Amino acid sequence: MRLVETEPTVATSFEFAAAILSGLSAPEKSIPCRFLYDAAGSALFEKITALPEYYPTRTEIAILGSCAPVIAGETEPGTVLIEFGSGSSIKTELLLAEMPDLYAYVPIDISRAALDDAQARIEKRFPGLRVLPVCADFAKPLAMPHEIAGRPRLGFFPGSTIGNLAEDAAVELLANMSKIVGKGGRLVIGADLKKDSKQLIAAYDDAAGVTAAFNLNLLKRANRELGANFDVSQFDHLATYDADKGRVALYLVSQADQTATVLGREFAFAAGEHIHTEYSHKYDVDGFQAMAARAGWQPVNVWTDEQRLFSVHELRAA
Ligand code: AVJ
């Protein structure tokens, strides 16, 4: 079983350079999480999804396996399935397999390569299905293919990728998705659930060190792409969980007083200093529905696994 997760965004070296220079110049240093997903980072993320401690991917797949027939039963023939991100083959295929009467499948992604890959995969498994890829940033207003005008729309945003965003940004993204599916359109979205902090931290600091390698790859990427000279062995991976804020935070922690040069600029790191690299927000069902309501979504259905590790919400645009 091969899991290919969505790349949140693919970003160029120029954007990476600008983000690193500004993020490391701030009093509280940070590097935006979208830069975790270069080729090496995407391969490491794929490994994360198979780790024993990383429950979200396999749990969401199991939930989708049982709720896909229900969602399909509510989907009128001629509906368009719109996926935000080009999609993990398994998750998308679980829905498509139950929906033989779709008008089209529209994957939206910022990466042309990811879209080409998704299109090839889906057309191979579902030969009759119209695939209409849209290369765009779904966080912004975008033009949809004219062929789908006037057809009912079902959005799909699995993976709890929404959890990377703080609430206001998440609401903005959800509102944009509601515009894209239109009044009466639906969204199926995965959201990781709040739970015991031990279990959360294990999921983001696994025993095999894959998540550590994924996080440290940010510095290796800077060395590769920007000619930086980080001594990667002098940084540690750290995962924390703040139960009040309901979020996991990832950091790279400097193990010594040290400096690194990036594009001719020298940055100093004190021993123990943190570089923030990612948030992963955790929700309860009510909290997620309340957040979605701020973006104009009404709850239709919600499914969780028996252990209540993960949730899949079905929402309708008011
Ligand atoms: C892809 C954002 C859903 O937050 O669980 C996994 C990213 N980071 N391990 C998550 C991630 C470290 C993942 N998302």
Side-chain angles (χ1 to χ4, degrees), residues 64-198:
L64 284 170
S66 61
C67 69
V70 181
I71 296 164
E74 299 164 350
T75 301
E76 26 173 337
T79 294
V80 177
L81 180 69
I82 300 172
E83 182 161 11
F84 300 104
S86 65
S88 123
S89 49
I90 288 171
K91 293 175 194 173
T92 312
E93 288 174 22
L94 283 169
L95 286 187
L96 290 174
E98 299 292 331
M99 300 177 179
D101 299 323
L102 289 178
Y103 178 76
Y105 167 60
V106 177
I108 307 176
D109 203 287
I110 201 163
S111 160
R112 183 38 80 184
L115 283 173
D116 289 347
D117 188 60
Q119 180 164 19
R121 246 192 294 114
I122 296 301
E123 284 178 346
K124 192 167 175 211
R125 163 127 193 235
F126 303 94
L129 181 64
R130 206 178 269 99
V131 181
L132 305 170
V134 172
C135 194
D137 180 352
F138 56 75
K140 296 179 185 154
L142 55 82
M144 294 299 279
H146 61 270
E147 299 102 298
I148 71 166
R151 296 183 180 276
R153 299 178 183 188
L154 172 63
F156 185 42
F157 191 41
S160 200
T161 306
I162 190 86
N164 278 153
L165 302 177
E167 169 133 353
D168 286 353
V171 169
E172 214 177 293
L173 180 62
L174 287 166
N176 202 48
M177 291 176 169
S178 141
K179 251 187 237 139
I180 291 169
V181 302
K183 197 174 154 62
R186 288 172 300 149
L187 177 66
V188 172
I189 179 170
D192 196 13
L193 292 172
K194 291 182 177 177
K195 59 184 60 68
D196 173 60
S197 89
K198 252 199 179 151

Side-chain angles (χ1 to χ4, degrees), residues 10-11 23 38 45 48 59 87 98 116 120 144 149 154-155 163 194 200 204 229 248 259 281 286-287 309:
V10 172
D38 65 345
F45 183 67
I48 288 173
T59 308
E98 299 292 331
D116 289 347
M144 294 299 279
L154 172 63
K194 291 182 177 177
L200 279 169
Y204 291 87
N229 66 348
V248 169
T259 61
H281 289 80
D286 292 350
L309 295 173

Side-chain angles (χ1 to χ4, degrees), residues 5-6 8 36-37 45 48 54 56 159-161 163-164 192 203-204 211 214 250 278-280 282:
E5 286 276 356
T6 306
L36 287 162
Y37 299 88
F45 183 67
I48 288 173
Y54 193 75
S160 200
T161 306
N164 278 153
D192 196 13
Y204 291 87
T211 309
F214 174 68
L250 299 192
E278 189 177 41
Y279 285 127
S280 188
K282 307 303 167 191

